Amino acid sequence: MITFHNVTKRFGTQTVIDKLNLTIGGGEFASITGPSGAGKTTLINLLLGAEKQDTGMITVDGYEIQAFSPYAL
């Protein structure tokens, strides 16, 4: 299961993701769609640990993304 709980990501003064709450259950399939600049790539980068959220928590199977080493990511 993947969860985003009140996740916010800003680049300078621009808020790209604001207080996102999202749950994708085990075995579920999810698609991310939207116009250019909507934050799709930022969402994926947060999930992969390539970017760090400014606020909130991201977990995968109950483990917080920030707890993983760069090698584990």
Side-chain angles (χ1 to χ4, degrees), residues 6-20 42 46 51-56:
N6 289 326
V7 172
T8 298
K9 177 63 180 170
R10 294 180 188 91
F11 293 101
T13 59
Q14 183 176 6
T15 301
V16 179
I17 295 177
D18 191 23
K19 299 176 190 164
L20 174 67
T42 301
L46 288 168
E51 295 281 348
K52 184 175 178 179
Q53 72 270 24
D54 295 313
T55 63

Side-chain angles (χ1 to χ4, degrees), residues 1-5 7 22-24 46-47 53 56-66 68:
M1 178 184 305
I2 298 169
T3 61
F4 284 69
H5 181 69
V7 172
L22 170 70
T23 301
I24 303 171
L46 288 168
L47 178 60
Q53 72 270 24
M57 181 173 27
I58 304 168
T59 61
V60 176
D61 289 336
Y63 296 97
E64 192 172 348
I65 290 289
Q66 276 73 24
F68 290 112

